[in-house]
Amino acid sequence: LMELLCSSGLAVLISAGENGRIIDANRTAREFLGKTSEDLSGQPVEDVLQEYFEKGLDVTRSLVEENGVVYQVFSFRAGATGDVETAGDLRRIFRDLDDVYFKTTLGGTVVSVSPSVEKFSGYSPEDVLGTDMFRFYRHTADRQRLIEDLKSKGSLREYELLLVGKSGQDIHARGSIHLVPDESGKPAFLEGILTDITKRKKLEEDLRSRSEFFRQVVESVPDAVVTVDRAGVVTGWNKEACHLFEWTEEEALGRQLDELVYTASGKHE
């Protein structure tokens, strides 16, 4: 959850080395503290938060060590003075999150999901909680593929899945997913954040279709057609260009047009 929270801004997250000095802080932490990354870098965590302790801020701290770095995650709620309302702020951020946060057992049972799942899929959180996450997969084989990839890598970033919405629509999703161990260190849960990339996928498909249509048109015309980029490097070379200039497509692509096309006088055409 450390990486997920850091990237999504779901909670105040401060990372520090074993000496307790700050290495980095996520956006939510910087906004909460009113400081920049440069202000916080190298400062003792306890000193930075001391004034909030004095205000009565109740802090729950979790420590996670990874590659020699101790990540300190601070969960805040209003103290006796009522000056700080971070817990409410975090609940609001979680509620308004566009991406979907989820947590499941290894068997796929959903134990936690953000409210944004309804906008994402059409299913309410109540529809999803306690059900099998993998029933939302378009292809059942993706379930085993996901588990195998997680077991071999531990965590997955930019991982793409094809899911099914409540109305039966395809949902192309890209996620950051990882295994969460239990107290004994054995994998117990899957946890991740999913982003809807359906519109992006449709745009990519449209661009591919247009590109293929353009390619077919270029190949069918009786004239030589050559395309170049801004630097004059050949990016397209149709069959008529091969006949006219006596360079194959493989020989022409990636070369400067000036090296390939000349007039009878020897000047570049």
Side-chain angles (χ1 to χ4, degrees):
L1 184 56
M2 307 306 129
E3 293 181 11
L4 298 176
L5 292 176
C6 187
S7 61
S8 66
L10 285 174
V12 172
L13 175 62
I14 299 174
S15 61
E18 294 182 358
N19 60 3
R21 293 187 176 274
I22 295 174
I23 297 173
D24 198 6
N26 73 342
R27 175 180 52 80
T28 306
R30 297 194 299 273
E31 291 177 355
F32 175 78
L33 298 170
K35 297 180 182 295
T36 66
S37 296
E38 291 73 20
D39 294 334
L40 294 170
S41 180
Q43 298 298 313
V45 174
E46 299 295 335
D47 290 355
V48 169
L49 295 178
Q50 184 60 40
E51 64 176 286
Y52 300 100
F53 295 149
E54 294 173 355
K55 289 180 180 180
L57 181 66
D58 190 0
V59 179
T60 300
R61 183 176 65 176
S62 301
L63 301 179
V64 176
E65 183 174 353
E66 183 178 4
N67 298 326
V69 178
V70 177
Y71 294 91
Q72 306 189 40
V73 182
F74 297 87
S75 300
F76 303 114
R77 61 176 181 271
T81 62
D83 292 335
V84 183
E85 297 181 351
T86 309
D89 290 341
L90 294 180
R91 283 193 294 271
R92 174 181 54 77
I93 293 170
F94 188 69
R95 182 191 66 219
D96 296 340
L97 184 68
D98 287 332
D99 296 339
V100 175
Y101 165 80
F102 70 91
K103 185 175 183 179
T104 76
T105 64
L106 289 185
T109 301
V110 180
V111 297
S112 182
V113 68
S114 61
S116 54
V117 70
E118 188 159 8
K119 179 180 178 182
F120 180 88
S121 67
Y123 290 102
S124 69
E126 292 74 22
D127 292 333
V128 175
L129 289 170
T131 65
D132 187 349
M133 171 72 175
F134 298 111
R135 74 186 178 94
F136 303 111
Y137 282 43
R138 174 63 74 189
H139 305 298
T140 55
D142 287 347
R143 169 179 181 165
Q144 189 59 36
R145 177 172 63 91
L146 174 64
I147 296 297
E148 291 175 356
D149 288 345
L150 279 171
K151 286 182 177 179
S152 64
K153 300 177 182 178
S155 64
L156 303 169
R157 300 183 67 85
E158 301 295 313
Y159 196 83
E160 294 192 7
L161 294 167
L162 181 59
L163 306 176
V164 183
K166 188 172 184 178
S167 300
Q169 76 276 21
D170 284 344
I171 302 173
H172 292 272
R174 178 173 294 162
S176 294
I177 307 168
H178 65 237
L179 293 171
V180 179
D182 58 19
E183 294 181 357
S184 66
K186 295 181 179 179
F189 299 97
L190 302 183
E191 187 177 53
I193 287 181
L194 296 175
T195 300
D196 187 345
I197 60 169
T198 304
K199 290 183 179 179
R200 185 186 310 171
K201 280 290 186 180
K202 185 178 185 305
L203 177 60
E204 290 174 355
E205 182 60 33
D206 288 346
L207 289 174
R208 279 194 295 269
S209 297
R210 292 176 186 177
S211 177
E212 176 61 19
F213 175 75
F214 176 74
R215 187 192 67 79
Q216 292 178 8
V217 170
V218 167
E219 288 297 327
S220 65
V221 296
D223 300 317
V225 178
V226 176
T227 58
V228 297
D229 62 16
R230 293 182 178 180
V233 175
V234 175
T235 58
W237 190 269
N238 75 344
K239 291 179 180 179
E240 288 303 317
C242 296
H243 297 153
L244 179 62
F245 302 116
E246 298 182 343
W247 296 96
T248 66
E249 183 179 12
E250 292 75 16
E251 291 171 331
L253 292 179
R255 296 181 62 177
Q256 288 287 330
L257 180 62
D258 290 348
E259 300 175 6
L260 306 171
V261 180
Y262 294 87
T263 64
S265 63
K267 296 181 179 180
H268 299 143
E269 182 142 12

